[in-house]
Amino acid sequence: ELRGIVAMDGPSGTGKSTVSRRLARGLRARYLDTGAMYRAVTLAVLRSDVDPTDAPSVARVAAEARLTVGTDPEHPEIRLDGEDVAAEIRGERVTRAVSAVAAVPEVRGLLVSRQQEVIAEADGADVGIVVEGRDIGEVVAPQAGLKVYLTADAEVRARRRTAQDTAQGRRVSLDETHADVRRRDEFDSSRAVSPLRRGTDAVEVDTTHLDVAGVLAELFRLVVENG
Ligand code: C5P
């Protein structure tokens, strides 16, 4: 069982969501997927016919969107204006636009506050929480007892993403996915506000040569060691 906060950061395709959810389940903790929140705001932007690179309009849509985010690792819930958008936010349109939306400072300000409220509530109830994203250990929850930075070779990450998309019924090519992974890494790492990077106090776990069970074993070991 876990009482504190585990911060899980790193780029996409490292298996971060899968292992974060399973870690939370195994520790009887809550789970917060911050990427889903950026994706839901992006969906709101696209539905409003706002250009994702038009920062002031994006900020306005974000301020008006009603997001509901759940913390049950069995059923991570994400709603936009009451509607369940869990499937739609994984689509190609949202994936293409999300980095631009996530680079808008007002969007980050809003979502980081919401994330901190969710974390404070878990803390207040004395339950642990596993939080995954890009800036958790550095910005959202610098007080986290364990900070993990997951990595993997870009090509391995592209292959995993393609397999996942195919399993979920989306048709994608490995080349396109590889290009998207590189483009998002580049964008997320070079933005002005909270760029993606490994914090000095984060433990790096390279998942290139590990399967899900192998990563989880390493994470449980780290939790025990740190707690
Ligand atoms: O993790 P996921 O791929 O769902 O995240 C989607 C996008 O949301 C990332 O590419 C990044 O641009 C943004 N993001 C972020 N900060 C977070 C989580 C996600 O900027 N904490």
Side-chain angles (χ1 to χ4, degrees):
E1 222 164 280
L2 172 80
R3 289 246 148 67
I5 305 163
V6 176
M8 299 284 299
D9 289 306
S12 70
T14 52
K16 196 172 47 173
S17 291
T18 306
V19 298
S20 298
R21 267 178 78 174
R22 293 200 195 173
L23 180 68
R25 226 184 274 163
L27 297 170
R28 300 184 182 289
R30 293 183 187 174
Y31 163 72
L32 179 64
D33 177 1
T34 63
M37 297 170 76
Y38 288 96
R39 286 172 179 273
V41 169
T42 303
L43 182 61
V45 167
L46 295 173
R47 284 184 176 177
S48 311
D49 273 326
V50 159
D51 176 352
T53 63
D54 172 2
S57 301
V58 167
R60 183 176 45 73
V61 173
E64 285 165 6
R66 280 197 308 116
L67 278 196
T68 319
V69 59
T71 56
D72 179 355
E74 304 291 342
H75 313 278
E77 194 194 17
I78 179 90
R79 288 179 182 276
L80 174 61
D81 299 320
E83 179 194 340
D84 178 351
V85 292
E88 198 172 350
I89 58 168
R90 305 289 156 196
E92 195 193 327
R93 243 162 57 93
V94 170
T95 300
R96 241 186 290 124
V98 64
S99 288
V101 171
V104 176
E106 289 87 347
V107 173
R108 302 204 71 81
L110 268 169
L111 294 190
V112 168
S113 312
R114 278 292 295 282
Q115 292 154 14
Q116 289 173 335
E117 282 167 24
V118 172
I119 293 166
E121 210 220 293
D123 245 6
D126 209 18
V127 277
I129 185 162
V130 176
V131 188
E132 71 154 287
R134 303 285 189 289
D135 60 342
I136 309 307
E138 293 277 283
V139 178
V140 176
Q143 77 277 29
L146 173 62
K147 301 179 185 180
V148 175
Y149 191 83
L150 286 182
T151 57
D153 289 349
E155 194 172 331
V156 168
R157 292 193 282 120
R159 259 189 270 138
R160 287 178 184 159
R161 272 268 315 277
T162 308
Q164 189 179 31
D165 284 342
T166 307
Q168 292 172 1
R170 285 186 296 270
R171 260 194 298 141
V172 289
S173 78
L174 180 58
D175 282 351
E176 268 170 51
T177 304
H178 198 176
D180 176 68
V181 162
R182 269 176 309 183
R183 185 186 55 79
R184 272 207 292 157
D185 284 357
E186 168 66 25
F187 204 101
D188 291 344
S189 310
S190 61
R191 69 180 173 221
V193 192
S194 314
L196 170 69
R197 63 190 175 93
R198 178 167 82 88
T200 46
D201 53 353
V203 184
E204 183 164 325
V205 176
D206 185 341
T207 70
T208 305
H209 302 292
L210 292 174
D211 61 9
V212 171
V215 179
L216 271 174
E218 176 65 9
L219 294 176
F220 282 117
R221 196 185 62 75
L222 288 170
V223 169
V224 170
E225 210 174 63
N226 283 266

